[in-house]
Amino acid sequence: FAVQALVQSATALTHNRDLWTPDSKTQKILSKEPDAYQTWQVGVDHVVTSDQVLVWSGTITPSGLYGSELPAVRAAGRVPIAADVLAEMLIDSTRVHEYIQMSLGRTDLLVLQDTEDGPFGGRTKIMQSKSQFLRKTLQFTSLLHARRLEGGSHLIVTRAVQGASAGAVVSEILLGVNVIHPLNDGQCLIVTVNHIRSPMVPMMIAKRIGLQAAVNFIADLRNAKVRS
């Protein structure tokens, strides 16, 4: 029940354009190419005619609730990898070094379901990841859930759970979403949402860091050396 509620919430937040405000560069791109990007609907034929990365920011947590003071970031862009291949790469914890240069590794702590069929509705696990940031080690302990959508698309949702270890700065992925849509040319469109809490990131620059991190993530996926 909890995982299904997480999927519904993540899908609704990711595709509700009323929640998101584009940055100035994205607004300029969209004003010139209004039909070039279709990123708001699920299960439709998506059109992406540019290699730009579009980014938005917004508030996705109601005021007064945990994390409501922190901005969330949404990004979208074309990646020259087939949708199925990219989804598998993002799910496999042994492959984070293929696309996250600051990663210090990711470990699966508990696999709840490793197939599409089962009570969770998709692959579900608890994982712990560590990253390097400003000479500090950031640690994230999260639930990851991945499922296939209609039309060959994929949804990967991540949500923080409790966990800590000595020598690391405990940070939280309050919500992480990757929606991966196949494109007709064998590439894919990825739409991401990140809502992250870390004591290492001052509030006054959290939005700027989040926007740049989203752009860098898609750029790193484009440059990933994908295993055959």
Side-chain angles (χ1 to χ4, degrees):
F1 173 81
V3 170
Q4 183 61 30
L6 178 60
V7 167
Q8 293 175 349
S9 176
T11 302
L13 292 172
T14 301
H15 296 91
N16 183 354
R17 70 171 67 202
D18 293 334
L19 296 175
W20 302 101
T21 302
D23 74 344
S24 58
K25 185 176 180 180
T26 296
Q27 181 60 51
K28 188 174 182 179
I29 293 170
L30 293 176
S31 66
K32 293 180 179 179
E33 303 179 81
D35 298 324
Y37 291 88
Q38 306 295 333
T39 71
W40 298 104
Q41 293 178 277
V42 180
V44 299
D45 186 21
H46 289 78
V47 179
V48 184
T49 61
S50 173
D51 290 330
Q52 298 279 359
V53 177
L54 307 184
V55 288
W56 298 258
S57 61
T59 301
I60 62 174
T61 302
S63 178
L65 297 184
Y66 188 71
S68 61
E69 75 282 9
L70 296 165
V73 173
R74 182 184 191 269
R78 171 190 286 266
V79 176
I81 304 173
D84 290 349
V85 174
L86 181 58
E88 187 59 37
M89 184 173 73
L90 296 180
I91 295 168
D92 188 343
S93 292
T94 68
R95 301 181 64 180
V96 292
H97 291 293
E98 294 182 33
Y99 57 93
I100 300 181
Q101 296 181 358
M102 295 190 302
S103 174
L104 299 177
R106 195 174 88 191
T107 304
D108 293 344
L109 302 180
L110 175 64
V111 177
L112 298 168
Q113 183 175 308
D114 198 28
T115 64
E116 291 287 332
D117 298 324
F120 288 96
R123 298 160 69 176
T124 307
K125 61 184 178 180
I126 306 295
M127 59 187 190
Q128 189 173 90
S129 61
K130 294 183 179 181
S131 299
Q132 194 76 30
F133 182 74
L134 298 177
R135 299 184 180 181
K136 296 288 187 178
T137 298
L138 305 186
Q139 177 185 286
F140 300 86
T141 304
S142 311
L143 179 143
L144 179 146
H145 173 79
R147 63 173 58 185
R148 186 181 294 270
L149 305 175
E150 293 183 5
S153 297
H154 296 265
L155 172 68
I156 303 172
V157 187
T158 308
R159 174 79 174 181
V161 295
Q162 293 295 325
S165 64
V169 178
V170 177
S171 303
E172 299 170 286
I173 301 175
L174 302 179
L175 182 65
V177 185
N178 291 303
V179 184
I180 305 168
H181 300 287
L183 300 175
N184 293 332
D185 57 2
Q187 301 188 39
C188 68
L189 165 69
I190 185 168
V191 181
T192 75
V193 168
N194 279 296
H195 191 204
I196 296 176
R197 184 186 187 95
S198 175
M200 289 297 299
V201 180
M203 280 295 300
M204 62 185 300
I205 61 173
K207 178 179 175 180
R208 177 161 57 87
I209 289 179
L211 290 170
Q212 188 58 54
V215 172
N216 292 345
F217 174 66
I218 294 181
D220 289 343
L221 291 180
R222 289 171 174 169
N223 295 325
K225 296 180 180 179
V226 181
R227 290 196 317 224
S228 57

